[in-house]
């Protein structure tokens, strides 16, 4: 990874100052935050006079305090109650905290063994070992804070891992204290190379054992969560599938009903066109198609009534014409008789 440029460093510093100012604007009283702001201000004023390793150490300590502040605030406010976060902290524990501790302890073990082999410190050796011991202490604090939140969110983890994690933290602190008292104090090397290696190997074995237990418990937890998610998936999918099938069934039924009704209407319309008005559409259901069928039947009944009246009026017309024709014939007969009588009188 390429080192940060000067502009990037200045931009990051301005972002930190803006965040501090934003919290100050809330007018909240928090001693931990006040100490953090004071530490940042002191670091900014002394930045030019610090060596690189000292600056890194100061920044790491401030970052550790920020993490502690965040985690303590979270735990105190009970804002995080999602059980899934237990798995998150287990992942952090297995993939970050324990490997980081193991790597730092391996570096401290190798450097301390080299120093113990010579029996005295060099300037770079002391500062490098001092820096890594401080990192181990900060990492232990972060580990303890993560475990506190983990056990608060998911108490079952304390039952399974609490004894091992407490023993590991105690062993690591004792190991760091041993190095502090028998090597770092007054820079007097009171440990042999064999003792340093044994101490480091013991802590490494303890971390490896705990990491194995954490991975096993995490694997069980992930399988349980996967099974729960699958059950939840089917609980959601099954009703949706049933609703979809019901919807398809209703749509198919509506389509078949529409198709059947339209087919019957077309068939009866063809028969009506062939002058067969005796047809009747069967009414099925109470929907709009049934209303259309009912109206069509009313129309057919009206047509039948009109045709019946036309037939009746036709019969009446025929009878009237016959009567008129009969009267005309009688009138002609009377006229013929009168003409015959008139002719006889004239002769």
């Amino acid at each position: 990874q390429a080192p940060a440029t000067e502009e990037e460093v200045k931009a990051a510093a301005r972002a930190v100052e803006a965040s501090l100012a934003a919290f100050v604007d809330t007018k909240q009283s928090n001693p931990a935050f006040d100490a953090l702001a004071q530490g940042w201000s002191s670091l900014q004023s002394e930045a030019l006079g610090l060596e690189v390793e000292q600056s890194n150490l100061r920044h790491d300590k401030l970052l550790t305090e920020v993490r502690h502040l965040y985690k303590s605030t979270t735990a105190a406010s009970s804002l995080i109650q999602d059980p899934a976060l237990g798995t998150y902290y287990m992942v952090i524990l297995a993939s970050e905290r324990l490997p980081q501790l193991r790597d730092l302890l391996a570096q401290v073990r190798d450097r301390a063994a080299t120093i113990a082999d010579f029996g005295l410190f060099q300037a770079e050796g002391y500062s490098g070992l001092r820096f890594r011991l401080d990192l181990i202490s900060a990492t232990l604090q972060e580990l303890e804070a993560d475990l506190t939140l983990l056990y608060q969110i998911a108490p079952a983890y304390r039952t399974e891992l609490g004894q091992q994690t407490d023993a590991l933290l105690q062993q690591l602190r004792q190991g760091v204290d041993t190095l502090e008292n028998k090597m770092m104090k007054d820079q007097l090397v009171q440990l042999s190379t064999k003792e340093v290696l044994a101490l480091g190997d013991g802590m490494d074995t303890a971390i490896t054992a705990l990491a194995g237990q954490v991975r096993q418990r995490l694997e069980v937890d992930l399988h349980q969560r996967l099974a729960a998610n699958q059950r939840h998936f089917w609980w959601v999918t099954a009703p949706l599938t049933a609703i979809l099938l019901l919807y398809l069934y209703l749509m198919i039924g509506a389509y078949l009903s529409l198709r059947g009704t339209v087919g019957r209407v077309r068939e009866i319309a063809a028969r009506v066109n062939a002058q067969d008005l005796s047809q009747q559409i069967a009414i099925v259901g109470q929907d709009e198609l049934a209303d259309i069928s009912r109206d069509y039947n009313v129309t057919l009944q009206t047509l039948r009534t009109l045709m019946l009246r036309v037939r009746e009026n036709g019969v009446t017309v025929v009878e009237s014409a016959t009567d008129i024709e009969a009267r005309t014939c009688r009138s002609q007969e009377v006229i013929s008789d009168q003409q015959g009588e008139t002719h006889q009188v004239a002769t």
Side-chain angles (χ1 to χ4, degrees):
Q1 184 178 359
T5 63
E6 183 178 356
E7 291 299 326
E8 291 176 341
V9 173
K10 291 181 179 179
R14 288 194 296 269
V16 172
E17 292 175 356
S19 300
L20 294 174
F23 186 86
V24 172
D25 292 339
T26 61
K27 298 181 180 180
Q28 298 181 16
S29 177
N30 190 322
F33 181 82
D34 295 339
L36 180 63
Q38 185 177 0
W40 171 255
S41 177
S42 176
L43 178 60
Q44 291 297 100
S45 62
E46 300 174 4
L48 296 178
L50 295 177
E51 297 181 358
V52 175
E53 291 187 357
Q54 293 177 337
S55 178
N56 290 336
L57 181 60
R58 294 280 294 274
H59 279 88
D60 287 335
K61 287 184 177 180
L62 285 177
L63 182 59
T64 301
E65 292 178 4
V66 171
R67 292 172 179 168
H68 285 319
L69 177 62
Y70 160 74
K71 292 174 181 178
S72 62
T73 302
T74 301
S77 60
S78 300
L79 293 177
I80 298 179
Q81 298 295 337
D82 187 0
L85 289 175
T87 303
Y88 164 76
Y89 281 108
M90 286 289 287
V91 172
I92 293 297
L93 184 62
S95 63
E96 182 177 342
R97 295 288 181 260
L98 294 179
Q100 182 181 6
L101 265 178
R102 189 179 180 188
D103 180 64
L104 288 173
L105 285 172
Q107 295 180 34
V108 169
R109 178 195 61 192
D110 295 341
R111 287 175 176 268
T114 301
I115 293 172
D117 189 27
F118 283 100
L120 53 85
F121 275 101
Q122 294 180 356
E124 294 182 358
Y126 178 83
S127 61
L129 188 61
R130 173 77 275 162
F131 176 70
R132 286 164 176 79
L133 286 174
D134 290 337
L135 283 181
I136 290 176
S137 299
T139 304
L140 285 176
Q141 292 178 357
E142 293 182 358
L143 174 61
E144 188 174 9
D146 287 341
L147 290 173
T148 300
L149 280 178
L150 173 65
Y151 295 153
Q152 182 179 359
I153 294 171
Y157 289 124
R158 177 178 289 279
T159 303
E160 301 179 17
L161 301 174
Q163 184 176 358
Q164 292 85 346
T165 55
D166 292 342
L168 176 64
L169 290 174
Q170 183 178 2
Q171 181 179 356
L172 294 179
R173 289 195 178 97
Q174 289 177 351
V176 172
D177 290 341
T178 300
L179 293 175
E180 291 281 358
N181 294 327
K182 294 188 177 183
M183 291 193 70
M184 305 301 294
K185 187 177 181 181
D186 298 328
Q187 300 186 18
L188 296 176
V189 180
Q190 304 177 25
L191 295 175
S192 64
T193 303
K194 184 177 181 179
E195 290 174 334
V196 171
L197 292 176
L199 180 63
D201 291 340
M203 291 187 290
D204 183 78
T205 302
I207 293 177
T208 303
L210 179 61
Q213 286 185 308
V214 170
R215 283 193 295 269
Q216 291 177 358
R217 182 62 182 85
L218 180 59
E219 182 179 1
V220 172
D221 185 54
L222 291 177
H223 281 300
Q224 293 176 349
R225 194 170 299 282
L226 176 61
N229 289 336
Q230 290 177 343
R231 289 193 299 269
H232 178 71
F233 171 79
W234 287 114
W235 274 108
V236 174
T237 304
L240 291 178
T241 304
I243 292 173
L244 178 60
L245 293 176
L246 178 61
Y247 174 76
L248 292 176
Y249 172 76
L250 294 177
M251 291 299 295
I252 293 173
Y255 169 74
L256 294 178
S257 176
L258 176 61
R259 183 177 179 182
T261 302
V262 171
R264 289 193 298 271
V265 171
R266 290 180 60 187
E267 181 181 358
I268 292 175
R271 293 180 181 179
V272 171
N273 291 334
Q275 298 181 358
D276 183 4
L277 298 179
S278 63
Q279 302 301 314
Q280 189 79 8
I281 300 177
I283 299 175
V284 180
Q286 299 293 329
D287 54 3
E288 288 78 5
L289 295 176
D291 294 337
I292 293 174
S293 300
R294 191 176 295 108
D295 294 338
Y296 201 84
N297 288 335
V298 172
T299 302
L300 290 176
Q301 180 62 38
T302 303
L303 287 176
R304 285 193 291 269
T305 302
L306 291 176
M307 291 301 296
L308 180 59
R309 290 179 181 177
V310 168
R311 290 192 186 96
E312 291 177 351
N313 292 334
V315 171
T316 303
V317 170
V318 171
E319 290 177 350
S320 298
T322 303
D323 184 57
I324 292 172
E325 184 180 3
R327 290 182 181 181
T328 302
C329 290
R330 286 195 299 271
S331 298
Q332 289 178 352
E333 289 176 358
V334 171
I335 293 172
S336 296
D337 291 342
Q338 289 180 354
Q339 288 178 349
E341 289 179 357
T342 302
H343 181 71
Q344 289 178 2
V345 171
T347 56

Short mmCIF file of all heavy atoms in Angstrom, two decimals, residues 322-343:
data_model
loop_
_atom_site.label_atom_id
_atom_site.label_comp_id
_atom_site.label_asym_id
_atom_site.label_seq_id
_atom_site.Cartn_x
_atom_site.Cartn_y
_atom_site.Cartn_z
N THR A 322 -110.09 -9.75 -46.19
CA THR A 322 -111.08 -10.75 -46.61
C THR A 322 -112.50 -10.21 -46.45
O THR A 322 -113.37 -10.40 -47.32
CB THR A 322 -110.90 -12.03 -45.80
OG1 THR A 322 -109.55 -12.52 -45.96
CG2 THR A 322 -111.88 -13.11 -46.24
N ASP A 323 -112.73 -9.54 -45.32
CA ASP A 323 -114.05 -8.97 -45.06
C ASP A 323 -114.38 -7.90 -46.09
O ASP A 323 -115.52 -7.82 -46.62
CB ASP A 323 -114.09 -8.40 -43.65
CG ASP A 323 -115.49 -7.87 -43.29
OD1 ASP A 323 -116.45 -8.64 -43.37
OD2 ASP A 323 -115.54 -6.67 -42.93
N ILE A 324 -113.35 -7.07 -46.38
CA ILE A 324 -113.58 -6.01 -47.39
C ILE A 324 -113.87 -6.63 -48.75
O ILE A 324 -114.75 -6.19 -49.51
CB ILE A 324 -112.34 -5.09 -47.45
CG1 ILE A 324 -112.22 -4.27 -46.15
CG2 ILE A 324 -112.43 -4.17 -48.66
CD1 ILE A 324 -110.96 -3.49 -46.02
N GLU A 325 -113.13 -7.68 -49.09
CA GLU A 325 -113.35 -8.34 -50.38
C GLU A 325 -114.75 -8.94 -50.46
O GLU A 325 -115.44 -8.85 -51.51
CB GLU A 325 -112.29 -9.42 -50.58
CG GLU A 325 -112.39 -10.10 -51.95
CD GLU A 325 -111.34 -11.16 -52.13
OE1 GLU A 325 -110.54 -11.41 -51.17
OE2 GLU A 325 -111.27 -11.75 -53.22
N ALA A 326 -115.22 -9.55 -49.38
CA ALA A 326 -116.57 -10.15 -49.35
C ALA A 326 -117.64 -9.08 -49.52
O ALA A 326 -118.63 -9.23 -50.26
CB ALA A 326 -116.76 -10.93 -48.06
N ARG A 327 -117.44 -7.95 -48.84
CA ARG A 327 -118.41 -6.86 -48.94
C ARG A 327 -118.40 -6.29 -50.37
O ARG A 327 -119.46 -5.92 -50.92
CB ARG A 327 -118.08 -5.76 -47.94
CG ARG A 327 -118.34 -6.20 -46.51
CD ARG A 327 -118.04 -5.07 -45.55
NE ARG A 327 -118.28 -5.48 -44.16
CZ ARG A 327 -118.13 -4.70 -43.10
NH1 ARG A 327 -117.71 -3.43 -43.28
NH2 ARG A 327 -118.38 -5.14 -41.89
N THR A 328 -117.22 -6.21 -50.93
CA THR A 328 -117.15 -5.69 -52.31
C THR A 328 -117.92 -6.61 -53.27
O THR A 328 -118.63 -6.15 -54.18
CB THR A 328 -115.68 -5.57 -52.73
OG1 THR A 328 -114.98 -4.71 -51.81
CG2 THR A 328 -115.57 -5.03 -54.14
N CYS A 329 -117.76 -7.90 -53.09
CA CYS A 329 -118.46 -8.86 -53.95
C CYS A 329 -119.99 -8.72 -53.79
O CYS A 329 -120.75 -8.75 -54.79
CB CYS A 329 -118.04 -10.28 -53.62
SG CYS A 329 -116.34 -10.63 -54.12
N ARG A 330 -120.44 -8.56 -52.57
CA ARG A 330 -121.89 -8.40 -52.34
C ARG A 330 -122.38 -7.11 -52.97
O ARG A 330 -123.50 -7.05 -53.53
CB ARG A 330 -122.19 -8.43 -50.83
CG ARG A 330 -122.06 -9.85 -50.23
CD ARG A 330 -122.72 -9.90 -48.86
NE ARG A 330 -122.08 -8.99 -47.92
CZ ARG A 330 -121.06 -9.31 -47.14
NH1 ARG A 330 -120.51 -10.51 -47.22
NH2 ARG A 330 -120.56 -8.42 -46.31
N SER A 331 -121.52 -6.06 -52.85
CA SER A 331 -121.95 -4.78 -53.44
C SER A 331 -122.06 -4.90 -54.96
O SER A 331 -123.00 -4.38 -55.59
CB SER A 331 -120.95 -3.67 -53.07
OG SER A 331 -120.91 -3.48 -51.69
N GLN A 332 -121.12 -5.60 -55.55
CA GLN A 332 -121.16 -5.79 -57.00
C GLN A 332 -122.39 -6.60 -57.41
O GLN A 332 -123.03 -6.33 -58.44
CB GLN A 332 -119.87 -6.48 -57.48
CG GLN A 332 -118.63 -5.58 -57.40
CD GLN A 332 -117.37 -6.29 -57.83
OE1 GLN A 332 -117.40 -7.51 -58.05
NE2 GLN A 332 -116.29 -5.53 -57.98
N GLU A 333 -122.73 -7.59 -56.61
CA GLU A 333 -123.91 -8.40 -56.90
C GLU A 333 -125.19 -7.54 -56.83
O GLU A 333 -126.09 -7.63 -57.68
CB GLU A 333 -124.02 -9.57 -55.92
CG GLU A 333 -122.94 -10.63 -56.16
CD GLU A 333 -123.03 -11.74 -55.11
OE1 GLU A 333 -123.89 -11.64 -54.20
OE2 GLU A 333 -122.22 -12.69 -55.18
N VAL A 334 -125.26 -6.69 -55.81
CA VAL A 334 -126.44 -5.82 -55.66
C VAL A 334 -126.53 -4.87 -56.84
O VAL A 334 -127.63 -4.63 -57.41
CB VAL A 334 -126.36 -5.05 -54.32
CG1 VAL A 334 -127.47 -3.99 -54.26
CG2 VAL A 334 -126.48 -6.01 -53.16
N ILE A 335 -125.40 -4.33 -57.24
CA ILE A 335 -125.39 -3.40 -58.37
C ILE A 335 -125.82 -4.13 -59.65
O ILE A 335 -126.59 -3.60 -60.47
CB ILE A 335 -123.99 -2.77 -58.54
CG1 ILE A 335 -123.68 -1.86 -57.34
CG2 ILE A 335 -123.90 -1.99 -59.84
CD1 ILE A 335 -122.27 -1.34 -57.30
N SER A 336 -125.36 -5.34 -59.84
CA SER A 336 -125.74 -6.11 -61.05
C SER A 336 -127.24 -6.38 -61.05
O SER A 336 -127.92 -6.30 -62.10
CB SER A 336 -124.95 -7.43 -61.08
OG SER A 336 -123.57 -7.16 -61.21
N ASP A 337 -127.79 -6.73 -59.90
CA ASP A 337 -129.23 -6.99 -59.80
C ASP A 337 -130.01 -5.72 -60.13
O ASP A 337 -131.04 -5.77 -60.86
CB ASP A 337 -129.58 -7.50 -58.39
CG ASP A 337 -129.04 -8.89 -58.14
OD1 ASP A 337 -128.70 -9.60 -59.11
OD2 ASP A 337 -128.85 -9.27 -56.93
N GLN A 338 -129.61 -4.60 -59.62
CA GLN A 338 -130.32 -3.34 -59.89
C GLN A 338 -130.24 -2.98 -61.37
O GLN A 338 -131.21 -2.51 -61.96
CB GLN A 338 -129.71 -2.23 -59.02
CG GLN A 338 -130.05 -2.37 -57.55
CD GLN A 338 -129.43 -1.28 -56.72
OE1 GLN A 338 -128.65 -0.47 -57.24
NE2 GLN A 338 -129.81 -1.24 -55.43
N GLN A 339 -129.11 -3.22 -62.02
CA GLN A 339 -128.96 -2.92 -63.44
C GLN A 339 -129.90 -3.82 -64.27
O GLN A 339 -130.49 -3.40 -65.27
CB GLN A 339 -127.50 -3.11 -63.89
CG GLN A 339 -126.56 -2.04 -63.37
CD GLN A 339 -125.12 -2.31 -63.80
OE1 GLN A 339 -124.81 -3.39 -64.31
NE2 GLN A 339 -124.27 -1.29 -63.61
N GLY A 340 -129.99 -5.07 -63.85
CA GLY A 340 -130.88 -5.98 -64.58
C GLY A 340 -132.33 -5.57 -64.46
O GLY A 340 -133.09 -5.59 -65.43
N GLU A 341 -132.74 -5.16 -63.29
CA GLU A 341 -134.14 -4.71 -63.10
C GLU A 341 -134.36 -3.44 -63.93
O GLU A 341 -135.44 -3.28 -64.54
CB GLU A 341 -134.36 -4.44 -61.62
CG GLU A 341 -134.39 -5.73 -60.78
CD GLU A 341 -134.58 -5.43 -59.30
OE1 GLU A 341 -134.65 -4.21 -58.92
OE2 GLU A 341 -134.61 -6.38 -58.49
N THR A 342 -133.40 -2.55 -63.92
CA THR A 342 -133.57 -1.28 -64.69
C THR A 342 -133.68 -1.61 -66.19
O THR A 342 -134.49 -1.02 -66.90
CB THR A 342 -132.38 -0.37 -64.45
OG1 THR A 342 -132.26 -0.12 -63.05
CG2 THR A 342 -132.52 0.92 -65.21
N HIS A 343 -132.96 -2.51 -66.70
CA HIS A 343 -133.00 -2.89 -68.09
C HIS A 343 -134.37 -3.50 -68.49
O HIS A 343 -134.94 -3.23 -69.52
CB HIS A 343 -131.86 -3.88 -68.42
CG HIS A 343 -131.85 -4.28 -69.83
ND1 HIS A 343 -131.47 -3.43 -70.91
CD2 HIS A 343 -132.17 -5.49 -70.43
CE1 HIS A 343 -131.55 -4.05 -72.05
NE2 HIS A 343 -132.01 -5.34 -71.80
#
